[in-house]
């Protein structure tokens, strides 16, 4: 069986080897602490390490798991959502680091991430890195994070002139299609990955 760790955008080497080294046990601990602190009265302080108790340090770990994007081969300037190199090699430094980190994470064979949109699913680092966000949603595919008006918006304003730009007016919006696009994926326990178009 191939064990996959699903995360938001990636896992830094420090978090992987320092806080996920016990595999499933570590993940369950992070999930427990997250559950205890994920309501409005505690969340901000938890993510900012207020008090610096054991749980507070784990708040930093959770925050990094939410924001880190550095496992992507060919993804330059991940901190600022920079460009992605479609021709990145599985032997890249990022892949070597990922394999080293995974070898020190008990029972975790690969990492699957979302929130790294592209028009297709990417399987990289010889199968150890799965970027699963293929922009299935018609809104993100049509306008990214630019918050463009869609068909429902125009329907409510029939007969009115509605700008086809983003809310801030800096981006000309493409038409939001009526159907979703992208790919879906099936991950099997034997480690196989099947992409369905």
């Amino acid at each position: 069986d191939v064990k996959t760790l699903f995360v938001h955008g990636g896992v830094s080497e420090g978090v992987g080897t320092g806080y996920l080294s016990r595999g499933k046990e570590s993940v369950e601990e992070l999930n427990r602490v997250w559950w205890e602190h994920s309501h409005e009265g505690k969340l901000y302080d938890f993510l900012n390490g207020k008090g610096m108790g054991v749980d507070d340090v784990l708040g930093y770990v959770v925050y990094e798991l939410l924001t880190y994007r550095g496992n992507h081969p060919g993804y330059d300037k991940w901190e600022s959502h920079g460009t992605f190199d479609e021709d990145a090699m599985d032997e890249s430094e990022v892949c070597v680091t990922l394999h080293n980190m995974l070898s020190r994470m008990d029972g975790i064979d690969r990492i699957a991430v979302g929130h790294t949109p592209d028009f297709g699913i990417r399987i990289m680092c010889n199968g150890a890195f799965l970027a699963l966000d293929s922009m299935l949603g018609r809104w993100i595919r049509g306008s990214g994070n630019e918050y463009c008006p869609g068909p429902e918006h125009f329907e409510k304003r029939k007969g009115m002139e509605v700008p086809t730009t983003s809310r801030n007016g800096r981006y000309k919006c493409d038409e939001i299609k009526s159907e979703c696009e992208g790919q879906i994926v099936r991950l099997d326990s034997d480690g196989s990955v099947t992409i369905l178009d």
Side-chain angles (χ1 to χ4, degrees):
D1 287 354
V2 174
K3 305 293 187 212
T4 306
L5 175 64
F6 291 86
V7 295
H8 187 244
V11 179
S12 71
E13 188 173 16
V15 167
T17 59
Y19 295 95
L20 294 170
S21 62
R22 296 174 318 202
K24 184 177 180 181
E25 182 182 336
S26 297
V27 171
E28 288 173 350
E29 172 69 6
L30 276 174
N31 284 338
R32 181 193 63 76
V33 171
W34 167 250
W35 180 256
E36 290 174 9
H37 295 86
S38 63
H39 54 82
E40 290 180 24
K42 291 185 175 181
L43 183 59
Y44 180 81
D45 287 342
F46 172 64
L47 294 177
N48 285 294
K50 302 289 186 190
M52 294 308 293
V54 171
D55 286 353
D56 297 317
V57 172
L58 291 179
Y60 283 129
V61 173
V62 169
Y63 183 76
E64 186 164 320
L65 287 169
L66 290 171
T67 59
Y68 187 76
R69 305 286 185 279
N71 301 121
H72 304 68
Y75 197 58
D76 189 34
K77 298 183 178 73
W78 62 269
E79 298 96 338
S80 62
H81 299 282
T83 60
F84 178 78
D85 177 7
E86 297 288 344
D87 298 319
M89 303 300 289
D90 284 334
E91 296 78 27
S92 73
E93 183 179 333
V94 171
C95 290
V96 171
T97 300
L98 177 65
H99 283 286
N100 180 50
M101 177 180 69
L102 288 170
S103 74
R104 296 163 56 197
M105 295 166 65
D106 185 44
I108 299 174
D109 303 305
R110 64 184 176 196
I111 293 175
V113 302
H115 200 72
T116 56
D118 198 6
F119 289 105
I121 291 166
R122 282 104 48 222
I123 302 169
M124 305 174 101
C125 300
N126 296 315
F129 181 77
L130 311 174
L132 302 178
D133 188 343
S134 67
M135 299 174 64
L136 277 172
R138 59 194 180 105
W139 287 89
I140 188 142
R141 189 169 280 260
S143 63
N145 291 322
E146 301 295 339
Y147 304 106
C148 290
E152 295 85 355
H153 184 81
F154 292 112
E155 183 67 29
K156 288 182 182 178
R157 290 158 182 81
K158 275 189 176 174
M160 298 172 61
E161 186 174 328
V162 180
T164 57
T165 59
S166 59
R167 282 190 192 167
N168 63 12
R170 296 183 190 167
Y171 178 80
K172 182 178 180 334
C173 297
D174 291 329
E175 178 184 350
I176 305 295
K177 296 182 179 180
S178 60
E179 67 280 339
C180 294
E181 297 177 85
Q183 299 171 315
I184 57 174
V185 66
R186 186 181 75 226
L187 305 177
D188 293 320
S189 62
D190 67 357
S192 62
V193 178
T194 306
I195 297 174
L196 308 168
D197 289 310

